Amino acid sequence: MPDDCPHTMQIGALDARVTALEKSLDANSLSFESRLNELSLKMQLNADQVLEEKSKKSGFFRGVHITATLTGYFVLMVLLLIAGKITGGIDQFIKMIASLGFKV
């Protein structure tokens, strides 16, 4: 007869409910941990991808900068060579005029 007592049945139902809630909580905490791990893995992969893209872009811009710098130096060298030839030509012209005996 003690099994038919309403208080005992109510306590048993509450115990069953607590047990079910504990199992659900454990399942949710495992699910939460797995979701958190999955999310952190995705974030790490995205961060790696962003770093790779930035390094590719910086490598491209660095290459463009080096190419532009070398081209600029080459142009300056050519201009200096041309200027040297011109000044050398002017110097030879002045020497030629001076050798002709013109007095100024």
Side-chain angles (χ1 to χ4, degrees):
M1 285 252 177
D3 292 334
D4 294 336
C5 178
H7 297 292
T8 306
M9 290 173 37
Q10 187 178 15
I11 290 172
L14 290 174
D15 283 341
R17 186 171 179 198
V18 167
T19 305
L21 287 173
E22 285 176 348
K23 286 182 182 179
S24 174
L25 182 62
D26 288 340
N28 284 339
S29 67
L30 290 176
S31 175
F32 178 72
E33 288 177 12
S34 67
R35 287 179 189 168
L36 187 61
N37 289 338
E38 189 177 316
L39 183 62
S40 65
L41 181 63
K42 284 181 182 179
M43 287 175 57
Q44 185 178 5
L45 291 174
N46 285 341
D48 290 343
Q49 186 178 12
V50 167
L51 286 175
E52 285 177 11
E53 288 176 4
K54 285 190 178 250
S55 67
K56 286 179 184 176
K57 286 181 181 178
S58 69
F60 172 74
F61 289 125
R62 187 174 180 193
V64 169
H65 176 71
I66 290 173
T67 304
T69 303
L70 291 176
T71 303
Y73 285 147
F74 178 74
V75 168
L76 285 174
M77 287 180 4
V78 168
L79 289 175
L80 288 173
L81 283 172
I82 291 171
K85 294 292 182 182
I86 290 173
T87 56
I90 292 173
D91 186 42
Q92 290 297 324
F93 181 72
I94 291 173
K95 285 182 184 178
M96 182 183 73
I97 290 177
S99 70
L100 290 176
F102 291 114
K103 292 188 179 183
V104 181

